Amino acid sequence: MDHFLYRNGVLHAEDVPVPEIAAAVGTPFYLYSTATLTRHFRLFDEGLGEMPHLVCYAMKANSNQAVLKLLGDLGAGIDVVSGGEYARAKAAGIPGEKIVFSGVGKTREEMRQALEGGVRQINLESEPEMRALSEVAAAMGVTVPVTVRVNPDVDAKTHEKIATGKKENKFGIPISRASEVYAEAARLPGLEVVGIDVHIGSQLTELQPFRDAYSLVASLTKQLRAEGHEIRRLDLGGGLGIPYERSNTAPPLPVEYCGVIREVLGDLGCEVEIEPGRLIAGNAGILVSKVIWVKHGDDRDFLILDSAMNDLIRPSMYSSYHEIVPVMEPEPGVEHRPYDIVGPVCESGDTFAKDRPMPPLSEGELVAFRSAGAYGAVMSSEYNSRPLVPEVLVKGDDFAVIRARPTFDDIISRDIVPEWL
Ligand code: LLP
């Protein structure tokens, strides 16, 4: 459920009519709902119930300061994967003890940054990284809580580009080698082993892969404890999918996912961390765009929008489906015709949908891409010198621009022409 609904034939974001925001901000723009963000965070937080836990929002999904502040105020921890994300989290007021640092290639500079600013734990992904962190921490005279990310070789049954838990993926250390890696971690100065980390992929639409991976983590917890490690924290990653396409069966609910965690890991006496990104932000955002032209081609019709692959790259990159709806609700029973829905960028890959049945639309009309709150704005670029689109946050009948559209001058002034040219 989200808070983008038609009222009196007009799409609203909470209590604000979308055309009102479009008139104030111009198109295209991303539009987020505080109520949906809040609701989704709480579904996880309440779903884990009495089990000691911290929901660490994976900010890679949507890293706007306002979104981080909103979730931080609700009590969220944050999962970061770069020095930039760490700095953003701190700037939004997230305390170091609620920041988990993940990622397969952390540099020594990033390690230092996290140790200086404070960090809840660093999730290690390889032995070289583990040794480097030990050196950095020891040189700074500190001890840092760590987990080791294990790769359980479980098929997440998702798009190959976002599956991370198979042995051929670059992530984590093979679970079969955990014993020796943990033994080394325990010997190294500057590291305090606190738990185990796992993340098998994103947009998972079934619970079984989670169950399989978490069962392996449960066995590993017992094994490592028997080997003398104090395993008290389990970071279970993110990955729960969202319903992008209404006609498909909906993925499991957060409450069901949390049920698996409680069932498989509940008796270990560990604190759990989860790192949902998409489920919190995905359906809390839409991308609003305008029809520039309706073009009748030889064998198909094109809806040419003012948003493009640089604004929302998911359809080009993963062939992913986003529902695209007119902002003015079509009359019931109106005839739908197939369109290729495209952007103005100069490549054929700049296609959002092919043969998508749409009600009649003409120049200047607004459409909204649903489920665009996660991995939308954060993956956008200025390809074709198209300014990054603004982001707007709605709360009840209030709305505010939370990232402004840069001007052409802003864009151009980032370049530096050398004096000798
Ligand atoms: N934790 C780790 C270590 C991750 O790598 C990820 C996502 C998450 C948590 C959050 O996963 P989520 O709950 O959002 O599924 N750009 C792609 C998705 C990439 C996900 C990368 N890692 C997309 O647009 O589908």
Side-chain angles (χ1 to χ4, degrees):
M1 196 213 124
D2 63 39
H3 291 79
F4 300 100
L5 300 171
Y6 289 112
R7 281 195 211 162
N8 304 321
V10 181
L11 189 68
H12 280 59
E14 300 191 18
D15 299 331
V16 190
V18 170
E20 192 181 301
I21 306 175
V25 177
T27 55
F29 62 95
Y30 277 99
L31 179 56
Y32 310 131
S33 151
T34 52
T36 313
L37 287 163
T38 303
R39 189 182 124 79
H40 288 166
F41 169 76
R42 292 212 169 116
L43 288 175
F44 285 113
D45 202 30
E46 288 161 13
L48 290 173
E50 298 304 302
M51 202 172 177
H53 67 270
L54 185 65
V55 178
C56 296
Y57 167 63
M59 66 176 279
K60 60 169 75 69
N62 184 324
S63 57
N64 189 288
Q65 287 287 292
V67 172
L68 299 182
K69 161 109 177 45
L70 170 80
L71 294 169
D73 286 351
L74 293 171
I78 302 288
D79 172 64
V80 308
V81 291
S82 70
E85 284 198 350
Y86 181 87
R88 271 182 182 272
K90 288 303 285 270
I94 310 294
E97 67 264 25
K98 283 193 161 176
I99 301 178
V100 170
F101 208 132
S102 303
V104 75
K106 296 178 272 304
T107 64
R108 285 183 161 81
E109 288 69 37
E110 287 171 327
M111 294 172 186
R112 251 175 245 121
Q113 180 189 3
L115 295 183
E116 271 162 18
V119 70
R120 176 179 178 81
Q121 105 219 359
I122 296 188
N123 295 332
L124 297 168
E125 295 227 15
S126 67
E127 287 144 298
E129 186 188 54
M130 174 170 90
R131 291 168 198 145
L133 180 64
S134 164
E135 277 168 30
V136 171
M140 289 172 69
V142 297
T143 297
V144 56
V146 296
T147 71
V148 177
R149 175 169 176 180
V150 292
N151 183 324
D153 195 23
V154 164
D155 183 357
K157 303 210 177 78
T158 184
H159 191 284
E160 59 166 341
K161 287 189 180 158
I162 52 176
T164 56
K166 286 290 283 172
K167 63 171 184 259
E168 61 266 31
N169 301 133
K170 67 183 173 182
F171 299 96
I173 57 125
I175 199 162
S176 53
R177 295 200 41 242
S179 203
E180 58 182 286
V181 176
Y182 272 83
E184 180 175 352
R187 282 195 303 272
L188 287 173
L191 307 184
E192 183 201 2
V193 175
V194 296
I196 305 171
D197 173 41
V198 72
H199 169 77
I200 56 172
S202 194
Q203 186 54 17
L204 271 70
T205 53
E206 293 171 32
L207 288 179
Q208 194 57 42
F210 286 119
R211 193 184 287 278
D212 293 345
Y214 297 167
S215 302
L216 290 167
V217 167
S219 314
L220 183 62
T221 302
K222 291 175 195 152
Q223 180 195 327
L224 292 176
R225 281 177 173 168
E227 290 167 10
H229 303 284
E230 199 204 327
I231 303 297
R232 57 175 190 271
R233 198 182 277 174
L234 302 175
D235 182 337
L236 303 174
L240 187 61
I242 62 172
Y244 280 101
E245 203 168 343
R246 281 172 192 214
S247 53
N248 282 359
T249 23
L253 301 171
V255 66
E256 297 170 305
Y257 166 75
C258 291
V260 169
I261 294 177
R262 291 146 67 115
E263 186 191 316
V264 180
L265 303 161
D267 62 355
L268 292 170
C270 286
E271 175 183 27
V272 301
E273 294 162 347
I274 53 171
E275 302 170 348
R278 188 190 312 267
L279 201 135
I280 291 181
N283 282 331
I286 59 175
L287 170 65
V288 181
S289 182
K290 193 161 66 186
V291 176
I292 309 181
W293 306 116
V294 183
K295 175 168 159 174
H296 301 292
D298 239 3
D299 70 340
R300 58 189 60 236
D301 292 339
F302 297 95
L303 276 182
I304 305 176
L305 305 183
D306 66 356
S307 57
M309 63 189 287
N310 68 296
D311 304 313
L312 178 66
I313 202 168
R314 302 193 68 258
S316 312
M317 192 151 169
Y318 315 109
S319 310
S320 57
Y321 181 99
H322 283 265
E323 201 181 329
I324 304 170
V325 298
V327 166
M328 304 309 286
E329 189 173 20
E331 297 296 331
V334 77
E335 193 199 344
H336 283 52
R337 297 202 308 117
Y339 287 96
D340 281 11
I341 305 179
V342 301
V345 159
C346 306
E347 33 187 302
S348 298
D350 184 23
T351 297
F352 292 118
K354 277 192 174 298
D355 292 323
R356 179 74 62 91
M358 294 293 285
L361 280 164
S362 40
E363 286 165 43
E365 284 194 66
L366 299 175
V367 295
F369 290 75
R370 287 190 176 276
S371 314
Y375 307 112
V378 284
M379 293 181 78
S380 59
S381 75
E382 287 178 341
Y383 185 38
N384 278 204
S385 288
R386 296 168 46 83
L388 290 182
V389 300
E391 297 177 282
V392 177
L393 184 66
V394 170
K395 183 176 186 202
D397 55 10
D398 262 350
F399 71 90
V401 174
I402 57 171
R403 184 178 77 185
R405 193 189 311 277
T407 64
F408 294 143
D409 280 347
D410 291 336
I411 295 176
I412 297 163
S413 63
R414 275 191 240 126
D415 295 356
I416 301 166
V417 179
E419 261 171 39
W420 39 258
L421 208 65

